[in-house]
Amino acid sequence: MKRVLTYGTFDLLHYGHINLLKRAKALGDYLIVALSTDEFNAGKGKTAFHDYETRKMMLEAIRYVDLVIPEKNWEQKISDVKDYHVDIVVMGSDWAGSDRFDYLKDYCELVFLDRTPGISTTKIKHDLGLVKDET
C-alpha cells in the first residue's frame, strides 16, 4: 500500500482543495491529511474561519481522505512520515522553488502539485469582504 501525506489549513473548503486531494490520492492508495490546528495557525499569524474540529469533520467526509491528523508545528513532518509509513509527501507548487522541504527527500518522495487556477481561500475571503485590502 502506497501512503500519501499532505498538509494544510483547508479553511473555507472549495473545489481547489477537492482537486488537490483527488490528485494527491491518485498518487497512492491511502491519503493522510495533516490539518493545521488553530494554535499552529495562530503561531503563523493566521486565523481560520472554521475551527479545527469543523475543518476536520469536513475533510473526513471527503471520499479521497482516509485519515486526518493534527499539524501542530513545522517540525513534525519527519515523525509523521515515519509514524504513518508515508511514501509520498505532497505540497503545493508554490513551495517548489524553495528548499524548505528538501530534507524530506531523505525519508520519502516529495511531490509538488499545482494549485487550481482562479480559486483560493484568500480570494474567497476577499470576495466575501472577510479580509480588508491593505492600501
Side-chain angles (χ1 to χ4, degrees):
M1 178 184 297
K2 190 176 275 193
R3 292 172 175 256
V4 180
L5 171 63
T6 193
Y7 291 82
T9 298
F10 296 94
D11 194 24
L12 299 181
L13 196 64
H14 54 72
Y15 67 88
H17 291 135
I18 302 301
N19 282 340
L20 173 73
L21 296 169
K22 181 179 182 179
R23 290 181 293 148
K25 176 67 177 247
L27 296 172
D29 307 298
Y30 192 86
L31 178 60
I32 303 163
V33 176
L35 179 63
S36 300
T37 63
D38 297 330
E39 296 78 16
F40 182 45
N41 279 336
K44 296 186 288 185
K46 295 170 67 175
T47 303
F49 184 82
H50 295 292
D51 66 17
Y52 174 82
E53 289 301 325
T54 301
R55 292 181 285 119
K56 182 176 187 279
M57 178 191 63
M58 288 189 289
L59 284 171
E60 289 173 337
I62 298 170
R63 69 179 175 182
Y64 308 115
V65 176
D66 295 292
L67 178 66
V68 178
I69 62 172
E71 180 186 22
K72 298 178 180 179
N73 58 66
W74 290 109
E75 295 77 26
Q76 77 182 64
K77 289 178 177 55
I78 291 173
S79 61
D80 289 345
V81 168
K82 290 179 176 180
D83 293 347
Y84 294 97
H85 311 287
V86 170
D87 300 290
I88 301 170
V89 169
V90 171
M91 304 299 290
S93 61
D94 48 327
W95 291 104
S98 164
D99 61 359
R100 178 164 183 121
F101 301 109
D102 282 354
Y103 67 93
L104 290 171
K105 293 176 184 176
D106 292 336
Y107 303 91
C108 63
E109 184 179 348
L110 181 60
V111 174
F112 296 98
L113 293 179
D114 289 336
R115 305 242 181 224
T116 303
I119 187 70
S120 71
T121 299
T122 302
K123 180 182 182 333
I124 292 170
K125 285 181 176 181
H126 276 93
D127 290 352
L128 292 175
L130 299 174
V131 175
K132 301 286 188 264
D133 287 323
E134 295 178 14
T135 56

